[in-house]
Amino acid sequence: MKHFEANFDGLVGPTHNYAGLSFGNVASLNNATLTSNPKAAAKQGLQKAKSLADLGMVQGVLAPQERPDLYTLRRIGFSGSDAEVLQKAAQQAPALLNACCSASSMWTANAATVSPSADTRDGKVHFTPANLVDKLHRSIEPITTGHILQATFNNSRHFKHHQHLPEHTSFGDEGAANHTRLCSEYGHAGVELFVYGQEATNPNAVKPKKYPARQTLEASQAVARLHQLEDESCVFIQQNPDVIDQGVFHNDVISVGNQNVLFYHEQAFLNADAKFDEIRRKMNAEMHFVKVATSQVSIDDAVRSYLFNTQIITLPSGEMAIIAPTNCQENPAVFAYLNELVTLGTPIKQVRYYDVKQSMQNGGGPACLRLRVAMNEQEVAAVNQNTLMNNALFTRLNIWVDKHYRDQLTVSDLADPQLIIESRTALDELTQILKLGSVYQFQK
Ligand SMILES: NCCC[C@H](NC(=O)CCC(=O)O)C(=O)O
């Protein structure tokens, strides 16, 4: 049977804006006053997804969330008509309004952790939505994320959906951004590498001093248990707290893996040597650890360019390619490194650049925008086929974006009640295009 690694990209929602909501995420804070372009953001994302489909990859899309989130605003005491709720929140608690308007669900690397059927005891593909408790604006995502995942992977014979972990910082979970699956072939059992920022229940364990460690060991272990993974196929490794304090808020800002390749910065992990030995032992296959030294690319350049927030994909030819943001071309040290990388004799043979600047300005690169789901042919056939990218869907979604999205949005626009109507009209139409059923609260 054939096996694939599919990428499901998050569609950028109609309220895409720069509100500076993510303490510890340098780009989010630095760009807090910029005017965003939701239409351009959505189109950049669609173009990247379509380009991967054109390369012969299995590519899908995940619907965005309903924003503004009036249900959360009502839950915290704002009342009246929808327009009144928005106006009162804008006057009395603008920071809370901003948190309820973010289009952050587009970063589907944080939607869930996924374990393919080759790794799980019951032979199903397992999904656990991330609780994202570290950030208010993201902590309101997991319930709807669960609905969207269930409507997309809507076959209980093949797909097992779990509830998100308990909503407490001890179980801080950021999903696939801190999870990498290593394997020889996508269909063979692999090693699932869980990267955590801190141990919540061990007061003596090291942790960052300045910025939050969003992922805990306890959360990663819980996901591994839920997904029915064998101990022999899991490795838990701590992120270097010093790099978290330099803006590496997720592991996918400092390392990325694909099949038997782990591409990483030398400062990414604690106790890397011992953990890499454990990976080698558990893999039963040759591993390529592709290390980038600080002398080649500094942490600052890695964070600015998102060199490691690239996607490494295996093309139908068997060659690996890196999907990089154009920001990597614009950074001299990073561009020089990538030009050299393809000559080094590693499995990575080419680099392709895509403009995803609208997302980058919020601290999300190409890899943040996608959720990886390794599947066999039968599982791909069991996915909601209306979510899979092809020429027709690409054309349809571009028309949909043109019809509903604004080409500029500032934080002060978030109090505009018209935005509720625009967003709901767009999302209602989207659920029809993707045949998702009623996944949003306003549809229930
Ligand atoms: N995987 C990339 C996630 C980026 C995301 N940024 C944000 O939410 C920024 C939102 C804002 O500042 O408007 C985050 O930090 O979780």
Side-chain angles (χ1 to χ4, degrees):
M1 198 172 346
K2 282 196 194 150
H3 292 83
F4 311 89
E5 184 171 78
N7 285 289
F8 281 78
D9 280 40
L11 295 176
V12 180
T15 65
H16 164 63
N17 71 91
Y18 302 119
L21 300 175
S22 279
F23 178 63
N25 174 339
V26 178
S28 159
L29 294 195
N30 287 351
N31 295 314
T33 54
L34 288 188
T35 300
S36 67
N37 185 333
K39 188 178 282 184
K43 292 196 156 202
Q44 287 173 355
L46 281 173
Q47 189 56 57
K48 195 249 302 177
K50 177 62 162 53
S51 301
L52 265 73
D54 289 346
L55 289 171
M57 309 299 294
V58 180
Q59 176 71 54
V61 294
L62 289 172
Q65 307 237 337
E66 181 193 352
R67 296 289 180 269
D69 180 352
L70 287 146
Y71 310 94
T72 297
L73 290 172
R74 289 185 189 281
R75 188 175 162 197
I76 56 176
F78 296 106
S79 59
S81 67
D82 288 346
E84 283 166 352
V85 166
L86 221 51
Q87 269 157 15
K88 286 180 192 169
Q91 278 160 11
Q92 296 168 31
L96 298 181
L97 175 65
N98 294 350
C100 291
C101 290
S102 175
S104 53
S105 65
M106 67 169 147
W107 294 296
T108 52
N110 310 119
T113 307
V114 184
S115 295
S117 56
D119 295 354
T120 62
R121 279 197 291 278
D122 64 358
K124 293 187 182 184
V125 185
H126 285 240
F127 297 82
T128 298
N131 62 20
L132 300 168
V133 287
D134 186 66
K135 297 281 175 272
L136 174 61
H137 69 291
R138 306 221 57 182
S139 69
I140 54 180
E141 294 177 25
I143 292 175
T144 304
T145 297
H147 293 154
I148 291 167
L149 288 172
Q150 287 176 43
T152 306
F153 302 92
N154 56 347
N155 183 317
S156 58
R157 257 188 64 208
H158 294 289
F159 305 119
K160 172 81 186 154
H161 295 277
H162 300 278
Q163 191 187 354
H164 59 275
L165 297 179
E167 292 147 23
H168 183 269
T169 49
S170 295
F171 287 110
D173 180 19
E174 301 276 321
N178 293 321
H179 173 259
T180 303
R181 177 172 184 261
L182 303 165
C183 58
S184 51
E185 302 281 342
Y186 293 124
H188 295 176
V191 169
E192 300 205 11
L193 180 62
F194 290 86
V195 186
Y196 61 94
Q198 66 171 318
E199 274 180 69
T201 53
N202 176 2
N204 300 319
V206 288
K207 58 180 187 189
K209 297 183 178 70
K210 185 173 164 197
Y211 291 143
R214 298 196 201 181
Q215 181 87 30
T216 67
L217 172 62
E218 290 79 355
S220 299
Q221 288 170 330
V223 171
R225 275 191 297 272
L226 286 167
H227 290 196
Q228 303 186 17
L229 304 177
E230 303 293 350
D231 289 348
E232 273 309 295
S233 61
C234 293
V235 175
F236 299 91
I237 185 167
Q238 185 166 0
Q239 215 183 337
N240 176 358
D242 293 344
V243 299
I244 296 181
D245 281 339
Q246 292 170 69
V248 181
F249 56 95
H250 286 144
N251 172 63
D252 68 1
V253 179
I254 196 90
S255 93
V256 53
N258 177 52
Q259 291 184 321
N260 61 348
V261 171
L262 185 67
F263 177 51
Y264 69 103
H265 193 278
E266 68 172 336
Q267 295 189 54
F269 307 112
L270 284 184
N271 302 322
D273 290 344
K275 289 292 174 181
F276 288 1
D277 282 345
E278 189 183 340
I279 293 172
R280 280 191 198 94
R281 183 170 58 74
K282 292 183 170 177
M283 268 289 280
N284 288 323
E286 185 198 13
M287 267 300 297
H288 296 271
F289 292 98
V290 182
K291 174 164 86 175
V292 181
T294 310
S295 57
Q296 293 170 294
V297 175
S298 67
I299 298 294
D300 188 51
D301 279 339
V303 172
R304 279 173 198 273
S305 67
Y306 271 34
L307 167 62
F308 298 96
N309 203 259
T310 45
Q311 297 175 236
I312 306 179
I313 59 172
T314 302
L315 296 166
S317 66
E319 238 176 56
M320 289 194 196
I322 283 198
I323 304 299
T326 46
N327 306 58
C328 286
Q329 271 175 315
E330 292 154 16
N331 181 303
V334 170
F335 190 50
Y337 176 79
L338 282 171
N339 285 335
E340 198 193 333
L341 172 64
V342 293
T343 68
L344 294 180
T346 77
I348 302 165
K349 302 295 183 204
Q350 41 175 294
V351 184
R352 292 169 178 266
Y353 296 94
Y354 295 91
D355 180 0
V356 288
K357 283 213 169 69
Q358 285 287 324
S359 170
M360 285 287 290
Q361 286 173 174
N362 251 344
C368 290
L369 287 165
R370 64 92 166 94
L371 183 67
R372 289 188 279 190
V373 188
M375 287 181 284
N376 62 33
E377 278 173 304
Q378 284 177 351
E379 290 157 354
V380 173
V383 170
N384 173 346
Q385 299 295 298
N386 305 290
T387 64
L388 296 180
M389 183 55 83
N390 53 35
N391 289 340
L393 185 64
F394 181 67
T395 305
R396 185 78 189 81
L397 289 176
N398 272 290
I399 294 170
W400 171 77
V401 169
D402 280 329
K403 182 169 152 198
H404 297 289
Y405 280 52
R406 298 188 185 189
D407 55 17
Q408 54 178 40
L409 198 67
T410 61
V411 168
S412 56
D413 296 326
L414 300 176
D416 177 1
Q418 188 59 30
L419 201 56
I420 306 172
I421 296 163
E422 286 170 25
S423 175
R424 286 183 176 171
T425 309
L427 295 182
D428 201 41
E429 194 178 315
L430 181 67
T431 54
Q432 293 165 44
I433 297 171
L434 302 179
K435 298 200 172 40
L436 296 178
S438 301
V439 289
Y440 300 115
Q441 293 223 35
F442 77 88
Q443 296 175 314
K444 295 197 189 271

